[in-house]
Amino acid sequence: MSVFVPPAGYRQSAVGGTLLVARDEHHDAMRRALGSGTLHGWAATQPRAQAMQGRNVAWATTLGDGTPVVVRHSRHGGALAGLTRDLFLAPSRAPRELDAALRLQAAGVRTATVIGYAVYRAFGPFCRADVATALIDGADLPATLATHRDAIARQAISDAVARLNSALWSAGAHHPDLNAKNIMIARRHDTFEAWVIDVDRVSFHAPRDASIAARNVARLIHSLHKWQATQQLSIAPDDLLRMGSFGQSRVEIPPR
């Protein structure tokens, strides 16, 4: 199975027919987790594992070395998801997710650290993959908005999202699936931080390209409008305007 050469700080090994790439300090714990089958299967059976519902179920649990992680099984989305399901051309999107996460972090964008990934042979040129990322101590954007209804907190949350938009803009990063569930909000003392997740399809362009930032924001606002319409999530127009900004610019918010 062809693979990318692991970046500095990561180590690659084979566990049976499975390819494992993991951070040096967590490599042994990841190998032990794979001893029971797949990484996602191991996570689902841990006594204190918590299901995190997104496109598919991810599991929040703790590695044997005490590291809190989220383990996600890679699946396709979109119109062909029912056909392609969880099959990818080797080596899957997992190496790309690791590369994107490292590039985003180097550019100052908050995103979850990739602890490691496992790639499993399927048939022919196809494979399946699980990815483990560091657990972010927070909640996704819709859940955070639902539990913080006062104007001051809402403004602080919206400003955190605007800072994330600006960081992505500065990095020239396009996230084609920047929906509200892919933004995590963490409380830090008296303020909030916004983190972007599921970065396996992020692409990089010229830094501070306004057209790229506008595409990110348009995707996010479309998602928030859906939450307003289908889940009755109340969001003030001023907060939508804040979440639709990057740098000193604001994207025109289309009507619902």
Side-chain angles (χ1 to χ4, degrees):
M1 186 183 297
S2 62
V3 296
F4 295 128
V5 176
Y10 287 78
R11 185 158 33 113
Q12 174 180 307
S13 66
V15 183
T18 298
L19 172 76
L20 171 66
V21 174
R23 288 178 65 89
D24 291 339
E25 63 268 33
H26 304 301
H27 195 273
D28 290 345
M30 292 280 283
R31 281 186 66 92
R32 290 194 295 271
L34 279 171
S36 59
T38 68
L39 192 60
H40 191 261
W42 165 84
T45 61
Q46 296 309 291
R48 297 183 180 178
Q50 294 184 333
M52 304 177 71
Q53 189 66 51
R55 178 182 297 153
N56 300 284
V57 175
W59 292 98
T61 187
T62 304
L63 289 176
D65 62 6
T67 303
V69 294
V70 174
V71 180
R72 186 182 76 256
H73 185 61
S74 297
R75 289 185 180 273
H76 290 277
L80 296 179
L83 177 65
T84 52
R85 303 187 309 278
D86 63 347
L87 292 171
F88 293 84
L89 289 172
S92 81
R93 287 182 187 158
R96 182 175 174 180
E97 179 169 355
L98 172 56
D99 178 69
L102 291 172
R103 288 186 65 175
L104 288 169
Q105 290 173 336
V109 180
R110 288 190 174 92
T111 190
T113 296
V114 175
I115 301 299
Y117 61 81
V119 180
Y120 317 98
R121 288 189 179 93
F123 57 88
F126 297 103
C127 66
R128 296 180 173 90
D130 294 331
V131 179
T133 56
L135 178 68
I136 298 169
D137 186 15
D140 62 48
L141 178 57
T144 303
L145 291 172
T147 56
H148 294 79
R149 298 181 180 275
D150 62 283
I152 294 176
R154 283 292 186 91
Q155 179 175 339
I157 294 164
S158 301
D159 287 343
V161 173
R163 290 193 297 272
L164 175 63
N165 291 337
S166 295
L168 290 168
W169 168 61
S170 294
H174 174 225
H175 193 314
D177 195 20
L178 192 65
N179 64 67
K181 294 281 286 184
N182 280 341
I183 294 178
M184 299 290 291
I185 304 295
R187 187 72 182 258
R188 291 292 181 269
H189 306 297
D190 59 348
T191 189
F192 293 90
E193 296 174 349
W195 298 63
V196 63
I197 61 172
D198 286 1
V199 300
D200 57 314
R201 294 200 296 140
V202 166
S203 58
F204 292 88
H205 306 267
R208 301 198 168 207
D209 184 332
S211 66
I212 296 299
R215 289 164 67 187
N216 286 337
V217 170
R219 178 68 182 90
L220 173 59
I221 297 302
H222 174 74
S223 173
L224 289 170
H225 278 168
K226 286 182 65 176
W227 276 89
Q228 288 178 296
T230 63
Q231 304 296 324
Q232 287 75 54
L233 180 63
S234 175
I235 307 174
D238 284 350
D239 290 331
L240 274 177
L241 283 172
R242 290 189 187 92
M243 287 188 277
S245 66
F246 58 92
Q248 300 300 313
S249 303
R250 285 187 174 179
V251 173
E252 183 177 349
I253 306 299
R256 289 169 54 186

